[in-house]
C-alpha cells in the first residue's frame, strides 16, 4: 500500500518587495522535494511571484510548478479542505472561512506561523511557542528562522554546497562569457548589488570609480536603479545597459529567477544584499557580503544588523572585524558609522581575510540544518 502523503497549505500575502514570496516559494519547493508530502501554496499576487519564478502563469487560478500546487489566493476565498499542516507566512491572516473549516476538523491541522528571520538572542526563547486561538479550538505555533541551534535554522538546501562548489570550480568562466563580460582581470573585483534606495550609494560609487583597480558592479533591475541613473547623469537605465566611470564598470542585469540569482552570488567576489532571503543566499554563497537590513520604524533594523554582525565577525581578527562592521554600518546609515569611502578603504585592506572567513561561515550555517527539514519535523511530529 502506498504511504499516506502529508498535506501542507502555505499562505503568502505579498506585502511589498520580493521577500515574502521569495521565502514562501523556497520553503514550498523544499517541502515538496520529499515524495511523502503534498504542498499547496496560496499566493495573493502571482504577478510578483512571476518575477522571481517566470514559469508561473499569473493568469491561472491553479497550476503545478516544481511539484507544488500553486493557487491564486482570491477574496472571497474559494472553499478548500484544509491541509494537515497549515503555514501562514509572516503572520498573514488566514481567510476566515478557511480558519472556520480548520476548527471543524478532528484532529485540527497543525497551524504554524513562519516568522521573519533575525539573529537576535531572544529568537531561540520564542521559537516553537504555542498560542491558543481566543475562540476556536485551534493552537498556532510560532516558528522562527535563526542562526543558532534551538531556532528553526535557515532556508539553505542540504545539497547547496555541492552545487555551489561545482559551479565555483568549473562554471564561472562560462557564466561570465554568457553575460558577455569575459573572465575578470586578475586584480578585478566583481560585485553584485541588490539594494533599497540608499543615501550612501553615490559616495560608494565615487569610491569605486576612484579605485586603482577595476571594479565591475552588476545591478539587478529594481529600487537602486533610479539612484544609479542619477549618479551616472542619465535619465534611465534598463537591463543590459552598461556604463563606465573611470575604474568602475556598471552592468544592469534583468531580474532573474531565484536559481539564477544564486549563480550570480556564487560568481561574484562580493555581494551587496538586502532584506531576508538574498542575505541568507549570499551567506550560503561562501563569498563576502554587505547586508542592507529592511528599514523598519524606530530603527529596529539597526538591532537586527548588530545582531547578525555580532555573530558574523566571530573568528576574524579585530581589525578585519572592524572593517566589516564599518562597511555594514555605513551602508545602513547607522549613527556614528565611518563615512562610506573610508569604510570601503578599510574593507579593501582586509579583503584577503574575508574570503576564507565567508567560506567557514557558510560551513557553520550548513551544519545548522535546513529550515524546511526542521519545520517538517516540528509539524509532522505533532500529527502523530
Ligand atoms: O525583496 P526584499 O527586500 O524583501 C523584503 C525582506 O524580505 C524583508 O524582510 C521583508 O520584511 C520585506 O521584503 C517585506 O529582499 P529579500 O528578502 O532578499 O527577497 C528578495 C528575493 O528575490 C529573494 O528570494 C531573491 C530573489 N531574487 C531573484 O529571484 N532574482 C533576482 O534577480 C534578485 C535580485 C532577487
Amino acid at each position: 500500500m502506498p504511504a499516506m502523503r502529508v498535506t501542507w497549505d502555505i499562505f503568502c500575502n505579498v506585502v511589498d518587495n520580493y521577500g515574502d514570496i521569495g521565502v514562501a516559494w523556497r520553503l514550498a519547493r523544499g517541502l515538496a522535494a520529499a515524495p511523502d508530502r503534498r504542498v499547496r501554496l496560496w499566493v495573493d499576487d502571482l504577478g510578483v511571484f512571476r518575477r522571481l519564478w517566470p514559469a508561473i502563469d499569473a493568469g491561472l487560478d491553479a497550476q503545478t510548478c516544481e511539484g507544488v500546487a500553486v493557487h491564486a489566493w482570491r477574496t472571497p476565498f474559494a472553499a478548500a479542505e484544509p491541509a494537515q499542516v497549515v503555514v501562514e507566512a509572516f503572520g498573514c491572516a488566514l481567510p476566515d472561512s478557511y480558519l472556520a473549516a480548520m476548527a471543524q476538523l478532528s484532529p485540527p491541522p497543525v497551524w504554524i506561523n513562519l516568522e521573519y528571520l533575525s539573529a537576535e538572542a531572544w529568537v531561540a526563547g520564542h521559537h516553537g511557542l504555542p498560542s491558543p486561538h481566543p475562540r476556536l479550538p485551534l493552537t498556532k505555533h510560532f516558528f522562527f528562522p535563526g542562526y543558532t541551534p534551538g531556532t528553526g535554522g535557515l532556508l539553505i538546501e542540504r545539497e547547496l554546497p555541492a552545487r555551489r562548489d561545482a559551479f565555483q570550480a568549473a562554471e564561472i568562466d562560462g557564466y561570465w562569457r554568457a553575460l558577455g563580460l569575459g573572465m575578470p582581470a586578475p586584480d578585478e573585483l566583481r560585485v553584485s548589488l541588490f539594494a533599497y534606495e540608499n543615501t550612501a550609494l553615490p559616495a560608494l560609487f565615487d569610491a569605486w570609480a576612484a579605485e586603482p583597480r577595476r571594479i565591475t558592479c552588476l545591478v539587478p533591475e529594481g529600487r537602486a536603479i533610479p539612484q544609479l541613473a542619477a549618479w551616472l547623469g542619465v535619465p534611465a537605465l534598463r537591463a543590459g545597459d552598461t556604463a563606465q566611470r573611470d575604474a568602475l564598470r556598471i552592468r544592469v542585469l534583468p531580474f532573474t529567477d531565484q536559481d539564477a540569482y544564486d549563480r550570480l552570488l556564487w560568481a561574484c567576489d562580493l555581494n551587496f544584499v538586502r532584506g531576508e532571503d538574498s542575505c541568507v543566499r549570499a551567506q550560503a554563497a561562501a563569498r563576502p557580503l554587505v547586508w542592507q537590513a529592511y528599514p523598519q520604524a524606530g530603527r529596529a533594523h539597526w538591532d537586527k544588523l548588530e545582531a547578525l554582525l555580532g555573530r558574523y565577525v566571530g573568528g576574524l581578527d579585530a581589525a578585519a572585524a572592524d572593517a566589516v562592521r564599518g562597511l555594514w554600518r555605513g551602508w545602513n546609515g547607522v549613527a556614528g558609522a565611518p563615512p562610506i569611502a573610508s569604510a570601503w578603504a578599510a574593507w579593501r585592506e582586509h579583503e584577503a581575510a574575508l574570503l576564507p572567513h565567508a567560506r567557514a561561515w557558510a560551513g557553520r550555517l550548513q551544519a545548522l540544518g535546513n529550515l524546511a527539514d526542521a519545520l517538517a519535523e516540528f509539524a509532522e511530529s505533532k500529527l502523530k
Side-chain angles (χ1 to χ4, degrees):
M1 215 176 67
M4 290 286 286
R5 296 168 84 195
V6 179
T7 58
W8 286 68
D9 272 334
I10 302 171
F11 285 83
C12 175
N13 166 216
V14 177
V15 180
D16 65 357
N17 301 306
Y18 301 101
D20 307 294
I21 184 57
V23 169
W25 177 232
R26 205 180 287 293
L27 173 65
R29 282 206 283 163
L31 289 169
D36 55 350
R37 281 187 210 115
R38 269 203 350 248
V39 181
R40 271 191 308 201
L41 173 63
W42 300 87
V43 183
D44 68 350
D45 191 336
L46 293 174
V48 173
F49 189 178
R50 200 182 131 70
R51 299 250 14 238
L52 51 80
W53 207 259
I56 292 296
D57 183 337
L60 291 179
D61 271 350
Q63 59 201 299
T64 300
C65 190
E66 301 281 304
V68 177
V70 175
H71 290 251
W73 175 358
R74 306 235 188 264
T75 308
F77 189 72
E81 170 82 6
Q84 291 166 282
V85 183
V86 178
V87 180
E88 52 178 54
F90 311 124
C92 67
L94 296 177
D96 288 342
S97 59
Y98 185 91
L99 200 58
M102 281 168 66
Q104 297 299 313
L105 294 176
S106 179
V110 175
W111 181 14
I112 307 281
N113 179 22
L114 176 66
E115 287 288 344
Y116 287 108
L117 168 64
S118 172
E120 289 162 292
W122 56 265
V123 167
H126 288 69
H127 174 60
L129 291 183
S131 163
H133 191 279
R135 281 181 302 104
L136 300 171
L138 293 169
T139 298
K140 172 152 75 174
H141 287 87
F142 294 95
F143 194 91
F144 281 85
Y147 288 88
T148 52
T151 68
L154 299 168
L155 274 172
I156 303 174
E157 312 79 80
R158 262 171 291 148
E159 69 285 2
L160 182 139
R163 282 191 287 122
R164 177 199 65 208
D165 291 352
F167 175 91
Q168 290 178 338
E171 293 166 44
I172 289 195
D173 197 350
Y175 179 83
W176 291 127
R177 267 196 271 109
L179 276 182
L181 291 168
M183 277 300 277
D187 62 351
E188 179 181 346
L189 194 73
R190 292 228 163 141
V191 184
S192 81
L193 189 134
F194 179 44
Y196 308 115
E197 299 77 6
N198 191 323
T199 50
L201 186 143
L204 182 63
F205 276 68
D206 287 342
W208 286 354
E211 278 267 327
R213 293 172 289 171
R214 174 189 268 196
I215 296 192
T216 298
C217 178
L218 302 145
V219 191
E221 285 170 308
R223 288 173 58 175
I225 295 293
Q227 250 194 311
L228 186 52
W231 182 79
L232 286 166
V234 299
L237 287 168
R238 274 197 304 268
D241 287 350
T242 301
Q244 182 88 40
R245 288 290 180 281
D246 303 315
L248 174 62
R249 174 170 61 162
I250 295 166
R251 165 70 76 86
V252 180
L253 298 180
F255 200 91
T256 60
D257 70 64
Q258 276 186 332
D259 291 352
Y261 181 59
D262 270 345
R263 291 191 287 278
L264 174 66
L265 298 171
W266 298 344
C268 286
D269 304 302
L270 168 64
N271 295 299
F272 282 67
V273 285
R274 71 185 206 192
E276 177 165 332
D277 191 52
S278 59
C279 180
V280 172
R281 303 309 283 188
Q283 293 172 65
R287 295 285 159 100
L289 72 149
V290 178
W291 180 42
Q292 185 180 16
Y294 181 74
Q296 286 178 282
R299 312 232 151 109
H301 59 295
W302 286 0
D303 294 338
K304 287 189 169 182
L305 185 86
E306 291 304 319
L308 180 54
L309 261 178
R311 297 190 191 282
Y312 185 76
V313 300
L316 281 172
D317 70 44
D322 270 351
V324 172
R325 280 194 209 98
L327 188 56
W328 284 37
R329 288 175 182 158
W331 188 239
N332 284 273
V334 173
I340 202 78
S342 50
W344 175 250
W347 189 92
R348 267 305 224 178
E349 212 177 298
H350 294 281
E351 83 179 273
L354 300 179
L355 179 58
H357 178 74
R359 205 168 167 82
W361 175 256
R364 280 167 58 189
L365 297 188
Q366 204 63 35
L368 271 180
N370 176 14
L371 182 145
D373 297 338
L375 176 59
E377 199 182 308
F378 179 84
E380 290 175 1
S381 69
K382 295 191 186 308
L383 293 172
K384 288 173 190 150

